[in-house]
Amino acid sequence: MDRLRITGQTPLSGSVKISGAKNAALPILFASILSKEKSVIKNIPLLADINTTLRVLDALGLKTLFKLDDHTIEIDGSSLNSLEAPYELVRTMRASVLVLGPLLARNGEARVSLPGGCAIGARPVNYHLTAFERMGAKFDIEGGYIHGKAPNGLKGAFVRLPFPSVGATENTLMGAVLADGDTLIQNAAREPEIADLARALRSMGAKIEGEGTSNIQVKGVSELKGMNHSVSPDRVEAFTFLASGLITRGKVTVEGIDATYLQSALELLTQAGAKITNTPNSVTAEFVKDLTKVSFTTEPFPGFPTDMQAQFMALLTQAKGTSHISETIFENRFMHVPELVRLGAKIQIKGNQATVEGPTPLSGATVMATDLRASASLIIAGLAAKGDTLLRRIYHLDRGYEQIEQKLSQLGAKIVREHEK
Ligand code: EPZ
């Protein structure tokens, strides 16, 4: 098991290049299943979840080549010879459920292990299944597997999502592009990763309109050519570095991303007293005065993203006053709180509401990562804490952040990876 040792209270400064977005790369890689030809996907982040995705594609028989130095993956879609995403892979990465749409669309059948719950919530996939049933698929759930069949292929349909689910929107979109007829996805998720997936599908010849709005229209086509696409930047990684700069009273620029990916977050950082400036391809957050309290609720895009909640909470432990945070997307996404309290934070939880008193002096301690974004929250707090913070179980972190300790060191942070005996 690895752990990170963070020695706090060094102001961060400088600029850091943002990697491709994990939450765009995963669906885009699965979309390559839709074509029998070769797909080339660039700006892939070097993450554990990408490796897991490649193992799922390998299990389906597709030949994959990851050119690490170029951050590029080539996938040969011609050799699909299985329809099953196995349990041991799906349980390590629930996004594997995104093979459902492509497999049903291409071969009219799929067997995918039920993902099971995860640290932050039950995370059912009922919206995905209901959408495909509207498109003519039938499902049996047996032995912990979803077995879906659409023997005559998927049919275009009117699909209204009960909630703007990111995964359900992506799965439905990938099913619709090869369906027979037109599909309208109403109440679709509007996250930038959806628009990125649509651009990747369009490079294959898909006919899609309205991505980024609540209504996505798709004209099914009979086949798709190989994809040629470069993944959009990771807005959650970018926010993590901006918050790291601010909590250390520094000034950090994230390169390779434009402010539109971070709009709601930048508005709140400004409200808290940060100085935010940007260019068409970068965003800078500068500490210019003591931060003050901010209250927010996590919402579907364009609202404040749940994936940035834990990181912002860490920052608000250093803001003057009482901040109120309401987590409305996942039922259990406050597991970073007890660990932040170990560092000296004053945070109360009541249901899905957290109250943060600030500013509180933080002092280093041994803390434990419980999930991906909680890990980032503890790093941010450790950067402000007096002394050393030891962050354990950082396999959670490696799922979603490429070389985070190298990037933070580049900004002046004292952070090293150690092997625990
Ligand atoms: C995606 O998860 C992201 N993961 C999550 O990022 C992100 O937090 C989430 O979207 C919300 O933005 C990837 O893109 C790989 P949802 P997803 O479907 O698609 C409920 C990270 O840290 N729901 O929008 O699973 C669900 O339980 C990860 O990078 C159903 O009830 O999120 C949740 O409460 C964490 N039934 C809410 O909807 C369904 O069929 C939003 O989930 C589907 C979802």
Side-chain angles (χ1 to χ4, degrees), residues 22-23 26 95 120 123-128 163-167 191 306-307 329-331 333 372-373:
K22 165 179 88 82
N23 291 348
L26 300 185
I120 62 176
R123 302 190 69 185
V125 292
N126 53 322
Y127 303 157
H128 301 235
F163 179 85
S165 150
V166 171
E191 272 71 5
T306 175
D307 288 352
I329 305 295
F330 290 107
E331 61 268 32
R333 206 170 196 178
L372 171 56
R373 305 305 173 182

Side-chain angles (χ1 to χ4, degrees), residues 263-284:
Q263 209 47 50
S264 58
L266 297 179
E267 281 161 14
L268 284 178
L269 289 180
T270 305
Q271 198 185 313
K275 183 178 173 217
I276 303 290
T277 51
N278 60 66
T279 70
N281 204 25
S282 74
V283 178
T284 299

Side-chain angles (χ1 to χ4, degrees), residues 286-349:
E286 183 178 4
F287 181 90
V288 290
K289 62 182 177 182
D290 285 346
L291 298 178
T292 53
K293 65 177 171 54
V294 160
S295 292
F296 66 92
T297 297
T298 62
E299 295 171 322
F301 196 89
F304 186 87
T306 175
D307 288 352
M308 298 179 193
Q309 176 259 107
Q311 301 91 317
F312 202 9
M313 184 189 285
L315 180 59
L316 290 173
T317 65
Q318 303 311 302
K320 251 195 333 270
T322 303
S323 300
H324 297 277
I325 297 172
S326 171
E327 171 56 62
T328 68
I329 305 295
F330 290 107
E331 61 268 32
N332 186 33
R333 206 170 196 178
F334 283 148
M335 284 174 303
H336 41 289
V337 171
E339 301 301 311
L340 288 171
V341 167
R342 281 180 55 71
L343 295 170
K346 284 202 178 65
I347 307 170
Q348 303 279 334
I349 300 178

Side-chain angles (χ1 to χ4, degrees), residues 77 168 274 350:
K350 214 160 149 220

